Amino acid sequence: MSALDLETATAVLTNEGAFLDARLWDAWLGMYTEDAVFWVPAWKTEDEPTADPQTEVSLIYHDSRERLAERVWRLKSGLSIASSPLHRTAHMVSGVRLLGDGKVGSTWTVHRYDPRAKAQHVFFGRAEHRLAGRDGLWKIAAKTVWLMNDQIPTVLDFYML
Amino acid sequence: MRFNFPDFVDDRVDDGVFRVHRRVFSDPAIFDLEMKYIFERTWVFLGLESQLPRPNDYLTTVIGRHPVVVMRDNEGDLGCFLNSCPHKGATLCPLMRGNKRLHVCPYHSWSFDSAGRNRAIKGLEKGRYAPAFEALNHDMIPIARFASYRGLMFGALSADVPSLEEHLGGARAMIDIAAAQSEQGLEVLPGAVSFTFAGNWKMQLENCSDAYHFSSTHPSYLRLLDRRKEEGVDVPRAISGADYWLGEAERPLGGSICFDHGHVLNWNHLDVTPALPLYDAIAALDARVGRTKRDWMLRLRNLTLYPNVQLAENVASQLRIIRPISVDRTEMLTYCLAPVGEAPERRALRIRQYEEFFNPSGLATPDDASAYEACQSGHRAVSGGWLQGYSRGMTGRLWGGDMTSEDLDAAVVSASSGCMQLGDETIFHGGYRQWRALIEKGLREERTEA
């Protein structure tokens, strides 16, 4: 495969948000490698996020696509009151830049609307994706999301990031 | 407002009746009474001493509506003060935690040492103060009572409280068990998680003790565990899925204990599998603390210390601090606890299980918080009157304790135990009796003063 360029990286990140907003869960899962790491650190202090998921608490830490597939199953199961109804989301990705070695930095916001509570909220932060070539396609091998407003109203799930 | 207890809680257990009115969760006047006479008159949990290990460390929190700061002074002694400058009232310590020898107010630079003593008033000499001002104490204002038990720090804004040991009463036995899991005690892991929900604080208080909700609120979590088992996924779990609620055994498999002053415990048997973070330590625990305490350590234990802290221990341990914001809004601050000196792979397993179960971004807690919000919406149907959720276990509860509580060697008000499906609700009664006692005491004193 040729080297990752900014246009391709931007398209991957934009597609990811679009798939989540459209609830195309299988398409979203298909963007990840089997051994993908999905990580949302928590915060230790006002200024410092957690840095080691093996010794510190994260908001979310999964080290395989199967764990993400479980979350998708949970949303669709009808067995989770927090996911029934699902919140409506709109992902915005900006400031996409190449960091080398397949890493892609970005800044994001997700607007979410909870139709049950008629309440809306905006999550925002930075993200770093690591993309890896698989069978001629760029897949997400790792996604780290630093959530800036980490006091969470009721629920935070993967599709709101 | 006129507070006539039977209007809010119908406590006639001798007739088999205990009911709570929807207004208890939805009436702002009740919330005001709770802040004034419960949170601002009794012992409230502040934090763990281990969060302030060094001289000049501080930690900020709230007691009811009052911002406070716990400080370790230069000599290593702990104190707790209102986090409000005596001059114009600004909060002196802005961060959750920090380390400062000198706290300088950001507004007019009055400064205070880590023992709360005023060290300087800017421009004192040129200020043309009256002698009456110089006669005032300019130090930070200490709270009325401050004490620790086993490293758990508590404070009270009223001096008219029993000693902390007396207040905790029989619940101390459960704190002792939690603290003895490691010879070096428990530590708070880095990473604080906070969430809010649009519901009354007592929803969280009750849910932690509510064994009845587990299978119906968390089926997605339980089914996921089943799926992993079916697919042979190598993720050890101590809470098994569908069989979680099956089976009668010779000994009770779960139950609840009410201690004095509203503190309660609910517990369940857990399968002893390698998924338990304490699994490798079982033999050592047997030798160090004895079989009885070891067995308690291996059970699921949810301890509520009235009114604002919960220690939830199952496949991981969570410290939950409840902060009521308004009658229909609550803020939660949560920490993962772990025995000091735990093996790295055990620690990592504990953290994964913790995040999955306890986080507002996990697979279980969001369903609890969403259920609280559903209740809060439903409580607006005030004309629906009394709630029926305080009745399970009414004919099985034993005053003074039962076979499951006798080995605790602790003062117990009542205990209830049985199979996994019991889902005892008499556990909630203790909290409402303390609720009544504190509010009625506060109102009585107010009438006397007036």
Side-chain angles (χ1 to χ4, degrees):
Chain A
M1 284 179 75
S2 53
L4 182 66
D5 58 47
L6 185 62
E7 193 181 349
T8 307
T10 304
V12 170
L13 269 54
T14 306
N15 279 341
E16 186 186 20
F19 287 160
L20 291 170
D21 291 340
R23 301 176 184 172
L24 298 170
W25 307 122
D26 290 340
W28 176 73
L29 281 172
M31 298 186 76
Y32 281 76
T33 65
E34 262 184 52
D35 58 353
V37 173
F38 187 99
W39 181 29
V40 187
W43 289 81
K44 286 192 267 203
T45 68
E46 279 77 0
D47 302 311
E48 194 182 2
T50 54
D52 179 1
Q54 305 309 322
T55 60
E56 300 173 333
V57 172
S58 302
L59 284 165
I60 300 176
Y61 181 84
H62 296 309
D63 57 6
S64 77
R65 187 173 65 197
E66 177 54 30
R67 298 277 90 80
L68 299 176
E70 287 180 345
R71 282 187 170 256
V72 167
W73 173 86
R74 179 168 174 273
L75 291 194
K76 297 196 296 187
S77 69
L79 299 174
S80 157
I81 177 176
S83 318
S84 313
L86 288 172
H87 297 196
R88 300 172 196 154
T89 60
H91 284 66
M92 316 279 170
V93 185
S94 181
V96 179
R97 64 216 185 277
L98 299 178
L99 304 174
D101 298 328
K103 289 182 184 164
V104 183
S106 65
T107 311
W108 59 272
T109 60
V110 174
H111 291 247
R112 75 159 189 197
Y113 179 69
D114 175 359
R116 182 174 50 94
K118 298 181 176 61
Q120 52 198 326
H121 187 71
V122 181
F123 288 117
F124 63 93
R126 291 184 292 112
E128 186 178 302
H129 288 67
R130 186 164 54 79
L131 305 185
R134 293 281 193 280
D135 305 324
L137 292 170
W138 288 102
K139 301 278 186 184
I140 301 168
K143 177 177 178 178
T144 304
V145 182
W146 290 275
L147 176 66
M148 297 300 151
N149 50 343
D150 68 321
Q151 186 176 74
I152 292 162
T154 317
V155 54
L156 173 70
D157 210 339
F158 71 91
Y159 69 97
M160 304 166 191
L161 293 168
Chain B
M1 75 178 280
R2 182 177 144 73
F3 181 81
N4 181 36
F5 181 74
D7 292 346
F8 304 109
V9 180
D10 185 12
D11 181 0
R12 292 178 289 124
V13 289
D14 290 343
D15 301 328
V17 175
F18 193 103
R19 302 185 299 178
V20 173
H21 200 280
R22 283 172 169 79
R23 273 181 67 190
V24 165
F25 297 93
S26 58
D27 187 336
I30 291 279
F31 181 82
D32 290 343
L33 292 178
E34 291 171 341
M35 288 302 100
K36 206 167 162 187
Y37 298 130
I38 298 177
F39 280 80
E40 294 171 3
R41 293 268 177 116
T42 189
W43 288 105
V44 164
F45 178 78
L46 304 172
L48 297 176
E49 285 182 357
S50 63
Q51 293 178 286
L52 309 163
R54 299 164 302 165
N56 307 315
D57 278 348
Y58 72 85
L59 173 155
T60 58
T61 182
V62 293
I63 300 179
R65 295 160 294 197
H66 289 56
V68 298
V69 53
V70 184
M71 302 197 293
R72 193 181 285 280
D73 69 17
N74 214 17
E75 278 74 56
D77 293 328
L78 289 163
C80 183
F81 306 86
L82 300 184
N83 188 6
S84 177
C85 184
H87 177 226
K88 298 281 272 187
T91 50
L92 288 164
C93 309
L95 305 178
M96 283 168 61
R97 281 185 297 123
N99 181 282
K100 263 193 178 174
R101 189 183 294 268
L102 196 68
H103 298 271
V104 181
C105 181
Y107 198 8
H108 299 88
S109 293
W110 285 29
S111 59
F112 306 85
D113 65 20
S114 55
R117 287 177 296 242
N118 182 289
R119 305 303 292 188
I121 290 172
K122 186 181 71 173
L124 180 65
E125 306 76 17
K126 300 194 172 151
R128 295 188 174 177
Y129 284 110
F133 175 83
E134 284 161 24
L136 292 174
N137 181 333
H138 308 301
D139 295 341
M140 290 174 72
I141 301 162
I143 63 167
R145 297 287 292 276
F146 173 73
S148 295
Y149 181 77
R150 291 259 189 189
L152 279 68
M153 304 184 293
F154 293 81
L157 296 180
S158 164
D160 183 22
V161 289
S163 73
L164 179 61
E165 297 222 337
E166 189 187 329
H167 167 74
L168 294 172
R172 278 177 294 162
M174 297 317 304
I175 300 172
D176 294 345
I177 284 167
Q181 289 178 77
S182 157
E183 269 183 294
Q184 299 106 298
L186 293 174
E187 63 182 323
V188 176
L189 300 194
V193 174
S194 175
F195 64 99
T196 57
F197 59 86
N200 187 265
W201 65 280
K202 296 189 292 300
M203 296 304 307
Q204 173 63 49
L205 196 81
E206 292 187 14
N207 188 70
C208 183
S209 311
D210 182 348
Y212 190 40
H213 85 289
F214 199 84
S215 60
S216 43
T217 307
H218 303 302
S220 72
Y221 176 71
L222 293 170
R223 284 283 301 281
L224 266 186
L225 301 185
D226 281 345
R227 274 166 55 101
R228 289 177 190 171
K229 202 190 274 181
E230 285 160 18
E231 290 162 16
V233 177
D234 185 25
V235 182
R237 287 293 180 274
I239 295 179
S240 35
D243 58 350
Y244 182 65
W245 298 97
L246 298 180
E248 297 279 349
E250 286 178 15
R251 267 187 72 86
L253 290 173
S256 61
I257 298 173
C258 290
F259 302 102
D260 212 351
H261 300 126
H263 314 310
V264 297
L265 174 88
N266 94 300
W267 64 273
N268 265 324
H269 170 79
L270 283 176
D271 294 338
V272 178
T273 77
L276 288 181
L278 288 177
Y279 187 77
D280 291 338
I282 289 176
L285 284 172
D286 201 5
R288 184 164 58 81
V289 303
R291 180 150 301 192
T292 302
K293 282 191 178 161
R294 181 206 69 177
D295 286 350
W296 273 109
M297 287 177 191
L298 296 176
R299 290 172 190 146
L300 176 153
R301 286 166 285 119
N302 290 320
L303 177 66
T304 295
L305 300 175
Y306 198 88
N308 79 321
V309 65
Q310 301 179 317
L311 192 57
E313 302 200 72
N314 48 45
V315 290
S317 301
Q318 184 177 49
L319 180 71
R320 291 189 187 126
I321 304 169
I322 304 172
R323 293 177 176 177
I325 305 294
S326 63
V327 70
D328 56 2
R329 188 163 183 79
T330 304
E331 179 186 310
M332 299 296 303
L333 181 60
T334 63
Y335 292 101
C336 182
L337 295 181
V340 175
E342 193 168 43
E345 65 277 13
R346 288 276 149 209
R347 178 61 59 88
L349 173 66
R350 172 187 294 272
I351 294 171
R352 288 296 86 76
Q353 298 194 118
Y354 176 91
E355 291 158 352
E356 195 163 82
F357 188 80
F358 285 121
N359 270 350
S361 43
L363 307 176
T365 291
D367 293 320
D368 292 312
S370 299
Y372 308 160
E373 294 187 345
C375 289
Q376 195 69 29
S377 292
H379 290 151
R380 290 201 293 262
V382 175
S383 68
W386 300 102
L387 298 165
Q388 300 181 9
Y390 304 84
S391 307
R392 292 179 70 85
M394 193 74 87
T395 62
R397 173 251 320 268
L398 290 175
W399 296 107
D402 70 359
M403 64 185 287
T404 63
S405 63
E406 65 191 10
D407 61 13
L408 282 176
D409 193 27
V412 165
V413 174
S414 67
S416 175
S417 59
C419 66
M420 290 288 206
Q421 296 98 320
L422 169 62
D424 177 68
E425 292 174 336
T426 66
I427 189 170
F428 306 134
H429 301 181
Y432 283 98
R433 297 206 175 102
Q434 179 73 352
W435 184 82
R436 172 187 196 167
L438 290 171
I439 293 176
E440 288 186 345
K441 177 173 182 283
L443 288 168
R444 205 164 48 237
E445 286 166 2
E446 188 158 279
R447 276 195 299 272
T448 311
E449 287 159 18

